Amino acid sequence: MMHTAVGWHVELEFMEDDQHTRAVAMVRLPDGTEVRANGHASRHHTDANQPRVGEEIAGARALNELAMQMLTKAHGEIDDASGRTSHPIHV
């Protein structure tokens, strides 16, 4: 049996100011489909300005949203192929 190695590259971009961090996560699938998701973090005015922490929170939220979109996409493909409604896919 031959195994095929498949890889996905996920890109994360951040836009920041002193109070807010926005992250965009994107994955391009082998069929050319791109899935994008957003995440956001806000710094409380009494917290120290730590851009890395904002990036980690916003990035994690974007990746979580990306994961949920991928699960929804896969669920739809299962249903389309089977002609029935499948059970929800859980994380």
Side-chain angles (χ1 to χ4, degrees):
M1 174 188 229
M2 177 89 159
H3 294 279
T4 303
V6 177
W8 295 354
H9 293 278
V10 176
E11 297 177 18
L12 277 170
E13 293 182 358
F14 299 96
M15 287 68 64
E16 303 175 89
D17 61 29
D18 287 345
Q19 295 293 119
H20 306 279
T21 303
R22 180 172 174 258
V24 179
M26 191 273 290
V27 63
R28 186 174 295 111
L29 302 174
D31 67 1
T33 304
E34 289 185 359
V35 181
R36 294 177 182 269
N38 297 296
H40 185 262
S42 297
R43 181 176 69 87
H44 190 273
H45 69 277
T46 61
D47 290 339
N49 189 4
Q50 296 178 285
R52 179 183 49 79
V53 174
E55 290 169 4
E56 290 170 352
I57 293 169
R61 289 175 173 162
L63 289 169
N64 187 57
E65 176 60 29
L66 187 68
M68 297 309 294
Q69 289 185 37
M70 294 297 302
L71 285 170
T72 299
K73 180 180 183 307
H75 200 299
E77 291 171 359
I78 290 168
D79 289 353
D80 290 347
S82 68
R84 60 180 171 78
T85 302
S86 56
H87 294 286
I89 299 171
H90 298 285
V91 177

